[in-house]
Amino acid sequence: MKLAIPWLQALRIASLFIGLARVCSAVPQGVPLPKDADAAALKMIDEARVLEPHLPRPDAVPMAVGPGPLTLSRAVQIALANNYSMQREREQVQANALSAVAIRHGYSPQWRAQTTASSAESGITIDNTRTTNQFVNSFQSVGVSQQLPFGGTLGLDFGGAYAQTSGLSASYSPRAAISLNQPLLRGAGNDLFQEPLTRAKRGLIYALRNYKAVREDFAISVIESFLTLQNLREKSANLEEKHRSYDLLAKRAQTYFVLGLETEIEALRAGQENLFVQQDLLNIDLDLKNRMGLFEISLALPTESPVELTSFAIPYEKLRIDPSQAVQIAMSRRPDLQTAADAVEDSRRAVTFAKRGLLPSLDLNLNANLQDSNARSSTATINDEYFAGVTLSLPLERTQERLGLYLALQTLRQNERALIFVRSTITAAIHNSIDRIKSLENQIGIQNSIFQSSIRRARVAEILFQDGRVSNREVIEANSIRIAAMNARLDLVLAHYIGVLQLKRDLGVLDLDQPSFLTASDL
């Protein structure tokens, strides 16, 4: 019977461990749900956007196409919400936000708990008589630590030890400990204490700025794809018109040849030109089909149901903004320029911390431990222990710290040069964009004149051909120039419109959340 009691205690301890194992296996069920994690990330993002509210909030959800034709504005909204790369970009920003949430959580009280239990048996056999002793020990503790605003760390622990030996009464010894560690030099750890959270918040702002740039680039690419499809449909319609006129011209030339009013080579030329137009139609239709498939993929649309696109009247308005004024706007609004300036500030803080690493360190340490030995017996003894001291570290060997300072200074110089480079690049890019848009405006004016003159030339050539005064070559050339001028103007107006959107993006004034951003140039 004496041997059964320890084994019963061992079974109890085993049951305790089995229960703890079951609890640990159920821990994943207590992990916050994804929707809760998204809410925490968006809350952190909203806090980061307080100083820069123009940054977009990455909270888009997938959108359905809906019935009816697809407008340009709706296509942009669906693409931003459904596109796979844009979803990945939003998830990356939310991951940065959750990292900041985790780092900020480290500034709140950090609780910990620990329990250990053991059972041991020792025995001795003398003259075939065995004597056995059972030892049962367990220890439990609960503690909390808190980082202090002025750079120190405060810790508090409560616990106790339980011990029982077979044949003897059990003993229990409660314990309590409190500790404080506070740096006194190197800035007293104040700003260094905030540095992880500062970096996390700045990293989130940088991610939001990058997301804004990626979002705008992608939206412009969707707009260009949409309008390119629209232009291809118009070019196809122009070629259809050209095909019908050339078909009529070929038949008429063949009739004139039979009547002796036209040479055979002119009749063959008309038929050949008609075949060339048919070939161009096949090429445009193939290009249109391929581009439509890629467009549907970019919007994550179901490929089994083709989408009809609503025609969009591309606005055309000449640029009025002055290049120097445009550069000033870009310097005050460009997110990448602000990020480059912030990187310089980050590097300066890193240099400050690296210089402190070369200085002596002095830490204040305070500890208090209370222990009540054998609290369940009448011979309990209370042991108090208090400790107060300072730790001084003198900089005798600082090779690694000097290397860290050198690298920090080098990074600072690189970021300062990068800031100058970004400013110069922005200035050059703005001037180049404005010059390109102005050139497109001149080309559009020339194409308009070519188109008007080609219309008159085609009419005159048709009249002269019917009178037999010119060959069908004049009619073919006049119509070819007219159709080419129409198609060239379509491409130039589209290039001008996309150039204006890109200029607004480069100036930092493109707001995709404004419904009027597709039609108002404001430049």
Side-chain angles (χ1 to χ4, degrees), residues 2 15 205 218 241 308 322 351 377 415 472 476 489 511 515:
K2 291 183 179 181
S15 301
I205 286 291
F218 178 70
E241 178 189 352
E308 181 182 357
D322 182 72
V351 169
S377 67
N415 288 335
N472 60 12
I476 291 174
R489 189 183 187 282
D511 190 355

Side-chain angles (χ1 to χ4, degrees), residues 2 6 132-134 164-170:
K2 291 183 179 181
T132 304
N133 290 321
Q134 296 288 334
Q164 182 178 14
T165 305
S166 58
L168 299 177
S169 59

Side-chain angles (χ1 to χ4, degrees), residues 167-369:
L168 299 177
S169 59
S171 63
Y172 180 76
S173 301
R175 301 174 182 177
I178 184 171
S179 62
L180 172 64
N181 176 267
Q182 173 60 50
L184 301 178
L185 299 180
R186 299 181 178 180
N190 187 10
D191 47 0
L192 187 60
F193 161 78
Q194 294 286 346
E195 183 61 16
L197 185 58
T198 301
R199 290 183 179 179
K201 289 184 175 181
R202 282 184 174 268
L204 179 56
I205 286 291
Y206 301 160
L208 285 170
R209 292 172 182 167
N210 180 72
Y211 172 67
K212 181 179 185 293
V214 172
R215 185 169 178 257
E216 292 173 351
D217 288 340
F218 178 70
I220 292 176
S221 69
V222 171
I223 294 171
E224 187 173 12
S225 298
F226 185 102
L227 297 179
T228 300
L229 291 171
Q230 176 177 293
N231 279 4
L232 286 175
R233 290 198 303 267
E234 294 190 27
K235 290 179 180 180
S236 179
N238 293 338
L239 286 177
E240 286 285 355
E241 178 189 352
K242 185 177 180 180
H243 169 59
R244 288 191 296 269
S245 63
Y246 277 25
D247 186 59
L248 179 61
L249 180 63
K251 292 178 181 178
R252 190 163 50 187
Q254 184 65 29
T255 302
Y256 282 10
F257 168 69
V258 173
L259 295 176
L261 302 176
E262 187 69 87
T263 63
E264 182 180 7
I265 191 170
E266 296 297 337
L268 292 174
R269 177 183 291 113
Q272 190 178 43
E273 290 293 337
N274 190 28
L275 293 176
F276 288 154
V277 174
Q278 294 182 40
Q279 189 176 38
D280 291 340
L281 272 172
L282 291 175
N283 292 333
I284 282 187
D285 290 341
L286 179 60
D287 190 18
L288 185 61
K289 183 177 180 180
N290 291 337
R291 287 178 180 272
M292 189 64 190
L294 295 175
F295 182 74
E296 292 175 347
I297 292 175
S298 66
L299 270 65
L301 300 178
T303 56
E304 62 273 6
S305 56
V307 179
E308 181 182 357
L309 304 181
T310 300
S311 180
F312 176 79
I314 301 177
Y316 173 71
E317 184 177 354
K318 288 189 176 181
L319 203 63
R320 302 184 304 272
I321 192 170
D322 182 72
S324 59
Q325 179 186 3
V327 171
Q328 292 177 1
I329 294 175
M331 292 299 176
S332 62
R333 297 292 298 272
R334 281 284 291 262
D336 55 343
L337 180 60
Q338 184 61 45
T339 297
D342 290 343
V344 173
E345 183 180 346
D346 293 340
S347 300
R348 288 172 180 166
R349 289 201 321 277
V351 169
T352 300
F353 295 143
K355 288 180 178 179
R356 289 180 184 176
L358 299 175
L359 300 176
S361 64
L362 183 65
D363 295 343
L364 173 65
N365 299 290
L366 301 177
N367 292 278
N369 296 290

Side-chain angles (χ1 to χ4, degrees), residues 469-509:
R469 299 167 59 183
V470 297
S471 66
N472 60 12
R473 177 184 302 180
E474 296 295 335
V475 179
I476 291 174
E477 289 181 356
N479 280 283
S480 297
I481 293 175
R482 180 176 63 87
I483 297 299
M486 292 174 60
N487 292 340
R489 189 183 187 282
L490 289 174
D491 293 336
L492 289 174
V493 171
L494 174 58
H496 181 273
Y497 178 65
I498 296 300
V500 171
L501 289 178
Q502 292 173 342
L503 178 59
K504 294 176 68 175
R505 175 205 61 193
D506 295 340
L507 296 179
V509 298

